[in-house]
């Protein structure tokens, strides 16, 4: 992997902050975007802009073709059986709200049970709670071990004849833990229970094969995988998507409408009401091109090396550091605190050194509560980060901690 060539593709990485080169380590929140993705967006606005699936005219057909090509690219990227199982949404959050509302609304009633885990992002908690207020089912929460791996014995023991659904992140956005979702899905299926995967933190960092996992649903966001903002994907198995009611009503999702009776469009359009972000969707193809050109396994190996190097240095050289999440096979996310130093002070002072990290609860307040903390500092890596940046980060943490002591 030629990192300096990869970096040239990202104009933003040339920025300087406070007289220093930008060290961007907030990739879990959003990754930066290579020029070919930006160019595809510009092309969408300057060459092919017309609404999709509506016109006989050339521009509309071109725009439609680009959108539907992206759907096929996504399907191949995650190894879905068909592009009709790929629903475009605004992001992981909307994808999970869709599943909660439509599938959850169909499966969960009074006295039923839904299994989540302690390490879920709010996007995989709150949509279920909104439904819970209407339906009165029970949430069961899988706890974790001290290293940040899930307690799988507890998970297995949670199934009973009222269990209707499981929803779990593939990778934690705080701990970096990569959950054994393939085994967890097999367990759920043995009980006849479908399984939803929040893949927001997995798709940019590891090979995801929805058939191999046997996932019933798999959600992720384009903007975390070098793609545009405002676009997400919900993969769903055809047999489920066909049974589920639409999530939103409007244009494009109907077959015919009358005031007496409305019938709905075929998959996947049944779940895509209104004009989608067709320009963003078409640019997602270019993000997939970018990942495939480097190779997802090469990206994963590079990020793991950055993780190993940075973790070793932090533990060795920063007295009083606590790293939250040390599960074997974790992905390249380091959440930490140093002594009694406040995460917010650390983040703000690192910023003054040109180093972008996230601080706070990371939209995972239940996880923070279970760790007995309010927030962490979080550094997270992507394909374009370098060992030199990892070193600048470690030096930055040492300098800031000395100041805050
Ligand atoms: N699920 C997980 C595991 C996430 O990490 C995030 C975003 C989402 C869902 C929601 O994705 P969205 O694209 O719909 O917003 N996580 C973060 C984060 O860790 N910092 O900022 C956003």
């Amino acid at each position: 992997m030629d990192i300096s060539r990869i970096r040239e593709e990202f104009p933003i990485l040339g920025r300087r902050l406070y007289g220093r080169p930008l060290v961007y380590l907030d990739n879990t929140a959003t990754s930066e975007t290579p020029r070919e993705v930006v160019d595809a967006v510009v092309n969408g606005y300057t060459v092919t802009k017309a609404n999709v699936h509506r016109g006989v005219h050339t521009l509309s057909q071109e725009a439609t073709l680009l959108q539907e090509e992206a759907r096929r690219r996504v399907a191949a990227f995650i190894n879905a059986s068909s592009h009709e199982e790929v629903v475009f949404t605004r992001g992981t959050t909307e994808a999970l709200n869709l599943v909660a509302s439509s599938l959850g609304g169909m499966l969960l009633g009074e006295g039923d049970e839904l299994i989540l885990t302690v390490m879920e992002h709010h996007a995989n908690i709150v949509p279920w709670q909104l439904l819970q207020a209407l339906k009165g089912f029970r949430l069961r929460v899988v706890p974790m071990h001290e290293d940040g791996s899930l307690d799988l014995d507890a998970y297995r023991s949670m199934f009973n004849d009222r269990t209707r659904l499981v929803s779990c992140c593939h990778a934690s956005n705080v701990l970096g833990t990569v959950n054994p979702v393939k085994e967890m899905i097999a367990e759920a299926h043995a009980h006849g229970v479908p399984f939803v995967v929040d893949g927001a933190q997995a798709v940019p960092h590891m090979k995801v094969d929805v058939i191999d996992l046997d996932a019933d649903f798999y959600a992720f966001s384009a903007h975390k995988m070098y793609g545009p903002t405002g676009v997400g994907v919900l993969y769903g198995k055809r047999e489920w998507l066909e049974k589920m009611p639409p999530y939103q009503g409007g244009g494009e999702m109907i077959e015919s409408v009358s005031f007496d009776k409305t019938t709905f469009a075929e998959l996947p359009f049944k779940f895509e009401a209104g004009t989608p972000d067709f320009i963003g969707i078409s640019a997602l193809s270019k993000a997939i091109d970018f990942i495939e050109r480097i190779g997802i396994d090469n990206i994963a190996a590079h990020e793991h090396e950055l993780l190993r190097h940075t973790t070793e240095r932090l533990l060795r050289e920063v007295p009083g550091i606590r790293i939250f999440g040390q599960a074997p096979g974790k992905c390249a996310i380091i959440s930490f605190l140093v002594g009694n130093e406040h995460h917010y002070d650390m983040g703000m002072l690192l910023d003054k050194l040109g180093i972008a990290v996230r601080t706070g609860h990371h939209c995972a307040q239940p996880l923070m509560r279970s760790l007995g903390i309010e927030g962490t500092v979080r550094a997270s890596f992507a394909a374009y980060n370098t060992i030199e940046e990892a070193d600048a980060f470690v030096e930055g943490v040492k300098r800031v901690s000395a100041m805050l002591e």
Side-chain angles (χ1 to χ4, degrees):
M1 242 170 102
D2 183 346
I3 307 287
S4 58
R5 275 207 31 218
I6 291 173
R7 290 180 70 82
E8 282 168 15
E9 297 182 43
F10 291 79
I12 203 169
L13 298 179
R15 275 198 68 174
R16 296 179 72 82
L17 293 175
Y18 308 104
R20 292 164 180 272
L22 165 68
V23 175
Y24 186 77
L25 299 180
D26 194 15
N27 295 289
T28 299
T30 195
S31 66
E32 298 302 354
T33 312
R35 204 181 292 276
E36 64 196 294
V37 173
V38 180
D39 288 347
V41 172
V42 172
N43 189 70
Y45 281 104
T46 53
V47 182
T48 58
K49 190 176 178 206
N51 211 333
V52 287
H53 291 296
R54 283 158 214 238
V56 292
H57 63 80
T58 304
L59 256 52
S60 175
Q61 286 177 10
E62 285 176 2
T64 304
L65 212 66
L66 286 170
Q67 172 174 291
E68 294 311 314
E69 189 181 294
R71 200 185 303 277
R72 287 169 199 276
R73 290 302 310 276
V74 169
F77 184 60
I78 58 171
N79 196 31
S81 311
S82 161
H83 61 280
E84 291 169 2
E85 297 179 316
V86 172
V87 175
F88 287 119
T89 66
R90 286 190 299 122
T92 306
T93 301
E94 192 181 44
L96 293 170
N97 273 274
L98 190 167
V99 179
S101 169
S102 174
L103 179 77
M106 194 170 87
L107 295 184
L108 290 157
E110 184 89 41
D112 288 337
E113 295 186 3
L114 162 72
I115 300 178
L116 300 176
T117 83
V118 68
M119 64 180 76
E120 299 309 316
H121 186 279
H122 295 166
N124 198 24
I125 301 173
V126 185
W128 301 108
Q129 288 177 325
L130 293 175
L131 184 71
Q132 190 184 26
L134 300 173
K135 300 276 190 171
F137 56 87
R138 195 167 159 227
L139 288 182
R140 305 288 305 268
V141 180
V142 183
M144 65 183 191
H145 300 296
E146 201 153 307
D147 67 355
S149 56
L150 283 179
D151 182 341
L152 295 176
D153 290 335
Y155 169 66
R156 284 185 208 100
S157 73
M158 279 180 187
F159 286 89
N160 60 45
D161 60 1
R162 299 314 301 262
T163 311
R164 295 286 175 265
L165 201 51
V166 183
S167 191
C168 172
C169 59
H170 196 163
S172 157
N173 69 318
V174 176
L175 308 165
T177 307
V178 178
N179 291 317
V181 286
K182 185 173 174 177
E183 289 73 10
M184 293 173 74
I185 290 169
E187 181 73 24
H189 287 172
H191 292 89
V193 171
F195 198 107
V196 179
V197 185
D198 171 357
Q201 298 303 342
V203 170
H205 306 292
M206 64 195 77
K207 177 72 196 146
V208 170
D209 178 331
V210 290
I211 292 186
D212 179 56
L213 294 176
D214 202 16
D216 298 287
F217 296 88
Y218 198 101
F220 56 101
S221 296
H223 70 97
K224 294 184 196 289
M225 50 180 289
Y226 313 104
T229 59
V231 176
V233 171
L234 177 67
Y235 159 82
K237 276 187 187 165
R238 179 192 292 278
E239 54 265 39
W240 281 116
L241 292 176
E242 277 175 351
K243 275 188 234 156
M244 285 156 56
Y247 169 54
Q248 295 180 328
E252 274 311 297
M253 50 74 71
I254 55 90
E255 181 185 60
S256 87
V257 177
S258 77
F259 284 108
D260 297 324
K261 183 173 168 61
T262 290
T263 56
F264 304 120
E266 295 290 297
L267 292 178
F269 305 110
K270 182 169 92 174
F271 293 104
E272 293 181 355
T275 300
D277 182 355
F278 54 88
I279 291 179
I281 291 169
S282 63
L284 173 55
S285 288
K286 300 295 173 187
I288 294 174
D289 284 350
F290 170 79
I291 292 174
E292 289 186 337
R293 204 165 55 244
I294 303 175
I296 191 76
D297 292 339
N298 293 330
I299 293 176
H302 173 63
E303 291 174 353
H304 275 112
E305 181 52 22
L306 291 169
L307 174 69
R308 187 197 59 74
H309 176 82
T310 313
T311 306
E312 270 178 28
R313 277 204 66 188
L314 287 172
L315 290 173
R316 195 170 59 228
E317 299 174 39
V318 182
I321 195 166
R322 280 186 295 162
I323 294 180
F324 300 93
Q326 300 265 28
K330 71 175 274 197
C331 63
I333 296 174
I334 304 176
S335 279
F336 67 98
L337 288 171
V338 183
N340 293 323
E341 294 162 14
H342 199 277
H343 49 89
Y344 180 75
D345 295 335
M346 170 73 73
M348 223 169 53
L349 291 169
L350 284 173
D351 178 60
K352 297 290 179 283
L353 300 173
I355 301 167
V357 292
R358 178 147 179 208
T359 61
H361 55 65
H362 316 295
C363 299
Q365 283 183 344
L367 174 60
M368 294 297 134
R369 214 159 285 130
S370 88
L371 293 167
I373 56 177
E374 283 182 8
T376 71
V377 186
R378 182 187 69 188
S380 50
F381 297 95
Y384 41 67
N385 289 123
T386 63
I387 290 284
E388 291 72 27
E389 287 182 311
D391 286 335
F393 165 68
V394 175
E395 294 303 329
V397 171
K398 284 162 67 178
R399 188 165 157 194
V400 170
S401 325
M403 283 168 69
L404 291 174
E405 247 174 24

